[in-house]
């Protein structure tokens, strides 16, 4: 047997216990989501139901309006990610390439702001958005989430920008490119791995955020996916685990898709590097 095959088999055997631990909650969610209510509370535990029941997913989208909640979460998470990057990219570039008085203290300030929990600011945020007439407005969550994660985005991107040699930009300037053109054509393509990681961090945190969404969005049709799942636990004075597990399973799909796509893009960006 070739050595590479043996090495791959040994790696899979070594990682299989960790893989089981990671996938066990998802297997439980999938098993419960495909069962009817009566099967869940049977004394004899069965991983696979007698018949696969997809009615939980149908009820979730048709009767419970979970599709609207997924759409709201996607709008807020994507919007917050784009706004954060729009501000963080030029700010991080300026901190990395320009000599600004008090730059070190400002970086420390950005890091200290991440120690403040968003829950502490909920009352102030509610009063601010009420004054602006943005209660029950999805854009309020876009601005709030982007503000919370923007400081970390600037801090992370600047750390990555510092690793890129300045000689690459200087070579572009000698060829007649302006600073803006060299940033767009030379610098930005080399920063794609760092941008991907920052985007993933912002998207996942915005997707999972609960407290601010519950406070600002009061209407049921504007609820995000985490808030909608929390409200499912109190439906009809009972816990409908089949519906909750179906909703939780669906809520993990967008995050998994974003992570998988960015992960492949990350590997491709790292393999290209500055040589290309």
């Amino acid at each position: 047997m070739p050595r590479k095959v043996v090495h791959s088999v040994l790696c899979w055997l070594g990682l299989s216990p960790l893989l089981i631990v990671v996938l066990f909650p998802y297997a439980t969610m999938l098993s419960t989501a495909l069962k009817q209510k009566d099967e869940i509370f049977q004394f004899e535990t069965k991983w696979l139901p007698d018949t696969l029941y997809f009615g939980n997913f149908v009820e979730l989208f048709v009767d419970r309006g979970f599709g609207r909640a997924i759409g709201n979460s996607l709008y807020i998470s994507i919007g917050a990610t784009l706004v954060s990057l729009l501000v963080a990219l030029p700010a991080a570039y300026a901190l990395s390439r320009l000599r600004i008085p008090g730059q070190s203290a400002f970086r420390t300030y950005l890091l200290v702001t991440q120690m403040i929990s968003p829950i502490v600011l909920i009352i102030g945020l509610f009063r601010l958005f009420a004054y602006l007439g943005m209660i029950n407005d999805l854009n309020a969550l876009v601005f709030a989430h982007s503000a919370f994660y923007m400081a970390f985005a600037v801090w992370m991107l600047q750390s990555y920008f510092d690793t890129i040699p300045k000689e690459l930009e200087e070579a572009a300037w000698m060829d007649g490119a302006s600073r803006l053109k060299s940033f767009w054509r030379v610098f930005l393509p080399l920063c794609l791995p760092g941008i991907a990681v920052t985007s993933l961090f912002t998207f996942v945190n915005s997707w999972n955020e609960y407290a601010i969404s519950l406070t600002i969005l009061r209407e049921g049709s504007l609820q995000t996916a985490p808030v909608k799942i929390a409200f499912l636990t109190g439906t009809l004075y009972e816990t409908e685990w089949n519906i909750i597990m179906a909703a939780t399973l669906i809520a993990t799909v967008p995050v998994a898709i974003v992570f998988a796509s960015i992960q492949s893009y990350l590997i491709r960006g790292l393999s290209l590097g500055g040589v290309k």
Side-chain angles (χ1 to χ4, degrees):
M1 185 179 292
R3 182 178 299 179
K4 291 184 178 180
V5 177
V6 175
H7 180 71
S8 300
V9 171
L10 292 177
C11 288
W12 275 107
L13 290 177
L15 293 175
S16 56
L18 178 61
L19 189 63
I20 293 174
V21 172
V22 172
L23 295 181
F24 180 78
Y26 296 95
T28 303
M29 285 191 295
L30 181 60
S31 174
T32 308
L34 294 175
K35 293 179 180 178
Q36 299 187 41
K37 186 187 302 183
D38 297 336
E39 288 187 86
I40 298 175
F41 298 100
Q42 288 181 353
F43 181 77
E44 183 182 356
T45 303
K46 294 182 179 180
W47 279 102
L48 295 177
D50 297 331
T51 57
L52 298 180
Y53 182 69
F54 295 94
N56 297 323
F57 297 95
V58 175
E59 179 180 351
L60 196 61
F61 282 94
V62 176
D63 299 332
R64 308 299 179 93
F66 194 69
R68 182 67 179 271
I70 291 291
N72 294 337
S73 290
L74 283 174
Y75 177 85
I76 294 170
S77 301
I78 294 175
T81 302
L82 293 178
V83 172
S84 296
L85 289 179
L86 186 64
V87 177
L89 280 172
Y93 180 80
L95 289 174
S96 176
R97 289 298 188 257
L98 304 179
R99 303 275 72 84
I100 303 174
Q103 179 176 346
S104 179
F106 181 71
R107 283 202 67 195
T108 305
Y109 169 76
L110 291 178
L111 192 59
V112 170
T113 57
Q114 299 304 296
M115 302 179 184
I116 303 176
S117 175
I119 299 178
V120 179
L121 306 175
I122 283 183
I123 297 177
L125 285 174
F126 182 82
R127 295 186 62 181
L128 173 63
F129 289 127
Y131 176 78
L132 296 175
M134 297 183 70
I135 299 297
N136 290 325
D137 190 343
L138 295 178
N139 293 319
L141 268 298
V142 172
F143 295 135
H145 290 181
S146 61
F148 280 120
Y149 309 127
M150 192 179 300
F152 184 83
V154 173
W155 188 81
M156 178 177 287
L157 286 174
Q158 194 226 328
S159 299
Y160 190 85
F161 289 173
D162 289 341
T163 63
I164 298 177
K166 296 181 180 180
E167 289 77 11
L168 295 175
E169 292 178 274
E170 293 173 354
W173 297 341
M174 293 180 63
D175 291 337
S178 62
R179 180 178 288 272
L180 181 61
K181 189 173 182 180
S182 64
F183 173 79
W184 184 259
R185 291 291 187 88
V186 178
F187 188 81
L188 200 59
L190 299 175
C191 302
L192 293 180
I195 295 173
V197 174
T198 306
S199 301
L200 180 63
F201 171 84
T202 305
F203 181 88
V204 171
N205 280 276
S206 179
W207 181 270
N208 294 328
E209 197 280 321
Y210 173 80
I212 301 176
S213 303
L214 178 64
T215 304
I216 303 299
L217 304 177
R218 316 302 294 272
E219 294 183 4
S221 60
L222 297 176
Q223 291 176 342
T224 58
V227 176
K228 192 71 173 180
I229 293 174
F231 272 82
L232 289 175
T233 59
T235 305
L236 300 177
Y237 303 99
E238 63 178 340
T239 303
E240 299 176 290
W241 290 111
N242 51 336
I243 300 296
I244 295 173
M245 291 296 103
T248 306
L249 189 65
I250 293 173
T252 60
V253 172
V255 177
I257 292 175
V258 170
F259 181 80
S261 60
I262 288 183
Q263 184 184 32
S264 61
Y265 189 69
L266 243 176
I267 296 173
R268 187 166 63 251
L270 287 172
S271 62
L272 291 176
V275 177
K276 184 175 181 179

